[in-house]
Amino acid sequence: MNPLLVTLDRLADFEEIVDVRTPLEYAEDHIPGALNAPVLSNEERVIVGTMYHRVSPFEATRVGAAMVAHNIARHLETTFADRPREWRPLIYCWRGGKRSGSMTTWFNLIGWRARQLDGGYKSWRRSVVDALATLPSAFRYNVLAGHTGSGKTRLLNALATAGAQTLDLEALAAHRGSLLGTLPGEPQPSQKAFDTALVTTLRGFDPKQPVFVEAESRRIGAIALPLALTDEIHRGACIQVDTAHDERIRLLLEDYGHLFDDADAFRAQLSKLTELHGRARIAEWHRLLDEGRRAELFEQLIDRHYDPAYARSTAKHFARLPDALRFAFRPTADDVPEQARRLLERAG
C-alpha cells in the first residue's frame, strides 16, 4: 500500500485539510474545515476534460500536468508560504487521484509530512451517506409542533440558549420550510453540503440527552431530509406550541415582512397556490398585497392556507401528537428565554 495514503479515520491526526478540487467542486460540498487550494481552476478542468475525449488522453495529461505544476507553484508562493517545517497537511481531490497525489508528492519533497486521503472526497461522501442512514436513530427527539407563526424557531433558538440540545434544520437548509420560506439574500446550500452539515451536527450531540427539533415535512425548500431522520422525528415525543392568533400575525409581520420588499416576487409565489385555492382567492390576495394590507393578507394566509395544511399533514405524520405536552408560547414577548427555561423544566 502507498505509505502516503491515509483513511478517513485519521482526519484528526492532521493540522490542516487541503481540498485541491476546483472552486465549483469545493462550493458544492467539502470536508468541514478544509481549505480550498485548487490545482486546476474551473476552466482548466473543462479544458483538460475536453482534450481527454476529443484529442487524446496523453495530450490531456501533458497539458493538465503543466497546469497543475503552475498552480502548485503559485500556492507555494502564496497560500502555503508561511507554513512551518513541521506542518502536517492532509490533501484530497475527487477520488484520491492525480490532483491530490501531485500536491502530496511535492509537499513531501519540500519536507512537509503531507498525506493523501485514500479515496478522496468520494470516500467522505460515502461516509456521510452511510451516517445519514444510521446516525439519526442514536437520539430521541422532542418535536415542536405548531401552526405557522407560532414561533417554533424562536422557541428552538431560546432552548439552545438555555442549554438544550437542538437541531435547527431550517438554519442548516437556509429556508423556513414553507412556500414563502426563502430567506432574503441567502441561497440554499447544495444537497450534499446540507448532508455534510447535518451529519457534522448530529455527531456533536450527546445520545443521552434529548434533541429538540421542529416538526418538518420531508422537504425544506429544495433540500430533502434523509428518510431515517424523518422517520425518527415522526416517532418523537411532541410538544404542541400554542400561540394566540393575533400574536401569530405579529410574528409573521416581523419574520416575513421582507416579502413586501419585492412585491412582484411575492405575487409570483402566491400565484403558485392557484391550483389549490382558485383564481378568485389568489386575485384577492394579490389585491391585499398591492394595497399594502399586510396584516389582512397574513391573516388570510394563516386561516385559509397554512392552518388547513397543518391540520392535514401534522396529524397524519406525527403519531404521538394526541399525547403532546401543550405549551402556551408568546414569541413576540420580552421573556422568551424564561419561557424556554420553563418548557425545559416541563419536558425534562
Side-chain angles (χ1 to χ4, degrees):
M1 181 178 176
N2 185 340
L4 297 182
L5 289 177
V6 298
T7 52
L8 275 175
D9 59 325
R10 296 271 309 277
L11 287 183
D13 295 346
F14 296 89
E15 298 166 345
E16 195 163 9
I17 301 173
V18 180
D19 183 328
V20 301
R21 297 175 302 154
T22 66
L24 280 176
E25 292 173 288
Y26 177 85
E28 184 183 26
D29 186 36
H30 54 269
I31 296 176
L35 168 72
N36 189 211
V39 297
L40 289 176
S41 69
N42 299 325
E43 297 77 13
E44 288 169 340
R45 187 171 185 238
V46 171
I47 292 171
V48 173
T50 301
M51 290 187 65
Y52 187 92
H53 294 288
R54 295 185 180 179
V55 182
S56 74
F58 172 78
E59 282 300 308
T61 301
R62 183 185 63 78
V63 171
M67 292 175 175
V68 167
H70 173 78
N71 289 323
I72 290 176
R74 177 171 52 83
H75 286 309
L76 288 172
E77 293 172 344
T78 56
T79 310
F80 305 116
D82 62 348
R83 300 308 192 266
R85 170 69 180 81
E86 300 80 15
W87 184 47
R88 295 195 65 204
L90 176 64
I91 301 166
Y92 73 92
C93 58
W94 172 246
R95 58 175 177 265
K98 293 179 180 178
R99 286 186 288 174
S100 56
S102 298
M103 184 173 277
T104 302
T105 297
W106 274 106
F107 279 13
N108 278 281
L109 288 172
I110 291 169
W112 289 319
R113 292 181 294 168
R115 295 294 181 267
Q116 181 183 10
L117 178 61
D118 191 14
Y121 167 80
K122 290 185 69 175
S123 66
W124 167 259
R125 177 62 184 169
R126 195 178 309 116
S127 75
V128 169
V129 172
D130 291 345
L132 290 175
T134 58
L135 192 55
S137 63
F139 310 99
R140 54 189 174 95
Y141 299 88
N142 286 339
V143 184
L144 302 181
H147 292 90
T148 297
S150 59
K152 299 184 295 295
T153 299
R154 293 191 184 189
L155 180 56
L156 191 70
N157 292 336
L159 287 168
T161 301
Q165 200 161 235
T166 62
L167 176 59
D168 193 340
L169 293 169
E170 293 183 2
L172 294 179
H175 197 280
R176 290 198 174 105
S178 67
L179 176 69
L180 305 178
T182 301
L183 298 178
E186 187 173 355
Q188 289 196 261
S190 70
Q191 182 68 52
K192 290 179 180 179
F194 172 84
D195 292 345
T196 287
L198 175 58
V199 166
T200 302
T201 301
L202 290 175
R203 284 174 173 163
F205 285 162
D206 179 359
K208 297 178 182 178
Q209 300 298 322
V211 175
F212 287 83
V213 63
E214 287 187 56
E216 301 285 358
S217 63
R218 181 75 198 282
R219 298 196 71 87
I220 303 179
I223 296 297
L225 299 182
L227 185 59
L229 177 63
T230 303
D231 289 344
E232 291 296 332
I233 292 175
H234 285 173
R235 287 192 286 264
C238 292
I239 299 169
Q240 177 65 49
V241 181
D242 295 323
T243 303
H245 191 269
D246 59 343
E247 179 96 350
R248 293 169 60 198
I249 295 174
R250 283 199 298 273
L251 183 137
L252 289 179
L253 288 171
E254 292 179 6
D255 287 358
Y256 289 81
H258 65 274
L259 293 171
F260 294 92
D261 296 336
D262 190 344
D264 290 338
F266 194 178
R267 186 179 294 103
Q269 289 295 91
L270 292 172
S271 294
K272 294 179 181 179
L273 299 173
T274 300
E275 184 176 348
L276 184 62
H277 294 286
R279 294 183 181 277
R281 182 164 292 165
I282 298 303
E284 169 67 8
W285 291 349
H286 284 173
R287 184 176 65 83
L288 294 175
L289 171 60
D290 293 339
E291 295 175 0
R293 294 157 65 180
R294 301 184 176 194
E296 292 178 61
L297 176 55
F298 280 138
E299 183 174 18
Q300 288 210 26
L301 285 171
I302 281 177
D303 294 342
R304 299 182 182 276
H305 176 68
Y306 283 116
D307 285 5
Y310 173 82
R312 289 191 302 269
S313 64
T314 307
K316 175 182 177 182
H317 294 296
F318 294 88
R320 299 173 68 180
L321 188 61
D323 303 319
L325 183 159
R326 302 195 74 94
F327 182 70
F329 184 49
R330 303 181 310 280
T332 63
D334 294 332
D335 67 338
V336 168
E338 179 56 35
Q339 293 182 68
R341 285 190 287 272
R342 290 199 296 269
L343 175 58
L344 266 183
E345 292 173 359
R346 293 180 59 189

